Amino acid sequence: MEVNTNKVRFSKNQQDAYTFLLDMKNYEQLMPEDTKSFEIHESGKGFTVGVGALPKVGMRLKETIEPSKIIFESPAPAFEYTLTISIDAVDDNSSEISLDFKGNFNMMIEMMAKKPLTSFIETISENLEKI
């Protein structure tokens, strides 16, 4: 299953956007309105979020390529997924960001999760544009 967002304009240059998105506290303001819980992992390298009807989703920092890419992965071995955040330089005051979610789920889980996960990823992208 894949969910890809269009690039959105972010009002920070590439390096500042990278620094902003590397700070897990900043993801709380990007979450959808129906977020029930948001917890940063003790390591500071990931978070768990409960949104709407979705079960809690965990994101653990897997890899970074400064200042252009941040990759999260599932902290649970039972679920295989990644969220790649690409940050492209535009000018001194802005950047463009796209999110790419890839999950390897069985058909039943994919059918149940596709719509809420797509909405979740798109909301994060839309909220980036508002900052």
Side-chain angles (χ1 to χ4, degrees):
M1 179 175 100
E2 286 191 37
V3 178
N4 303 303
T5 65
N6 293 325
K7 289 181 178 184
V8 294
R9 185 67 68 114
F10 190 50
S11 60
K12 295 182 183 302
N13 67 35
Q14 187 181 35
Q15 184 63 51
D16 290 347
Y18 175 84
T19 302
F20 176 88
L21 291 165
L22 212 48
D23 184 343
M24 298 304 132
K25 291 184 303 231
N26 291 326
Y27 285 88
E28 191 165 14
Q29 62 188 300
L30 300 176
M31 293 297 123
E33 284 182 22
D34 60 344
T35 298
K36 295 177 184 154
S37 65
F38 182 88
E39 300 157 20
I40 296 172
H41 296 172
E42 286 179 28
S43 67
K45 303 235 184 265
F47 58 88
T48 303
V49 62
V51 177
L54 279 174
K56 283 189 176 181
V57 175
M59 296 285 176
R60 177 175 61 198
L61 198 57
K62 176 183 179 185
E63 181 183 349
T64 60
I65 301 167
E66 188 170 354
S68 60
K69 203 169 287 277
I70 298 171
I71 303 170
F72 288 97
E73 66 182 350
S74 168
F79 294 102
E80 198 179 309
Y81 56 82
T82 58
L83 174 64
T84 302
I85 301 172
S86 300
I87 308 161
D88 297 320
V90 174
D91 56 36
D92 291 344
N93 300 311
S94 63
S95 54
E96 286 186 332
I97 298 178
S98 61
L99 284 70
D100 178 28
F101 179 91
K102 288 186 177 148
N104 191 11
F105 306 121
N106 68 41
M107 261 176 38
M108 176 107 164
I109 294 199
E110 188 169 323
M111 280 175 33
M112 293 187 320
K114 177 98 173 150
K115 188 174 180 188
L117 263 175
T118 300
S119 176
F120 173 67
I121 300 298
E122 287 174 349
T123 299
I124 292 171
S125 179
E126 290 164 8
N127 287 343
L128 272 167
E129 222 172 4
K130 295 174 187 172
I131 290 177

